[in-house]
Amino acid sequence: KIEERQHGWHRAVQFVRDPQEFLTVYRDPVPTHRYVIGVDTSEGKIPDGCRKPDATVAVVIDIDQGNETVAVLAGQISEENAVPYLDLMGRFYNLAFMVPETNSTGKVVAINLPNHPYNYPRDRFYHKDDWNPEKSRHVREIGWRTHETNRHHLISVLANAINDNAVVVYDRKIQEECMNFVWKDAGRAEAQKGFHDDHVFALCLALMGAKCYPTHLKEGGDTTPAFLAARVRNETMDSVTGY
């Protein structure tokens, strides 16, 4: 209902089994645990040798259970239609910390999810502190923007977690994509011909969020830090970045 959406979702979230849906839940939330959701939205590309375009994938991990994958959203979902899924998933998992990739279509998630009618708490998003030469200052923007400089670092977070047994994966699609994510001749790590890497990067983003999880966030506590609350009172927040 519109009135309930004005200030966020107030009812308890419950998922009902439906084999035709895009969401797979492996573990229900534990009230005191911290969760992170890595989001890789589809750009509609069809990798070499594949028959299907990229999928939108969101991977939920439980930080307090050894980065255990507790839920996976995956399918041919447009970025606009992915937002309500992510809103409910995030609230179901204790207002999970959200790390959306914002290279292309992911910007829709970064813009729509923290604003009306969803109002997902802005401090529950990963913010990248980048230098903006046009504004001659650092700009804190919601989401992770992958480029050649930081792509290797993002992948190494997953590689290190696997080597250190610091991630638990139940999802077969994630396992399949990881097994077929290789170094190419050009020195670039990507999916082999005929395979996708959406699940791989969604998991990478979730693990990056686990490394950057804000220390002030506590389940059930105030979701607005003092410096952000001051900006809200002054009504000077940027509609996209939240700062």
Side-chain angles (χ1 to χ4, degrees), residues 62 98 237:
D62 183 344
M98 202 85 62
M237 289 199 313

Side-chain angles (χ1 to χ4, degrees), residues 85-177:
Y85 277 101
L86 296 171
D87 180 48
L88 292 176
M89 288 171 64
R91 296 180 188 280
F92 184 61
Y93 284 101
N94 304 341
L95 284 178
F97 189 58
M98 202 85 62
V99 189
E101 186 178 45
T102 57
N103 282 46
S104 179
T105 55
K107 293 179 181 179
V108 173
V109 174
I111 294 173
N112 291 346
L113 191 51
N115 289 307
H116 179 77
Y118 302 101
N119 300 316
Y120 199 81
R122 291 179 179 272
D123 64 322
R124 298 277 171 167
F125 288 93
Y126 172 89
H127 285 74
K128 183 66 175 178
D129 192 358
D130 279 337
W131 176 259
N132 188 318
E134 296 181 359
K135 297 183 178 181
S136 298
R137 63 182 176 88
H138 285 274
V139 178
R140 287 177 58 80
E141 296 184 346
I142 288 177
W144 172 279
R145 185 176 183 276
T146 305
H147 46 73
E148 288 301 322
T149 303
N150 65 16
R151 188 176 186 274
H152 177 72
H153 175 57
L154 183 64
I155 295 171
S156 69
V157 170
L158 174 57
N160 291 336
I162 293 174
N163 291 335
D164 297 338
N165 294 319
V167 61
V168 181
V169 178
Y170 303 116
D171 191 81
R172 292 185 177 181
K173 192 64 177 178
I174 295 178
Q175 295 173 5
E176 177 188 90
E177 288 191 6

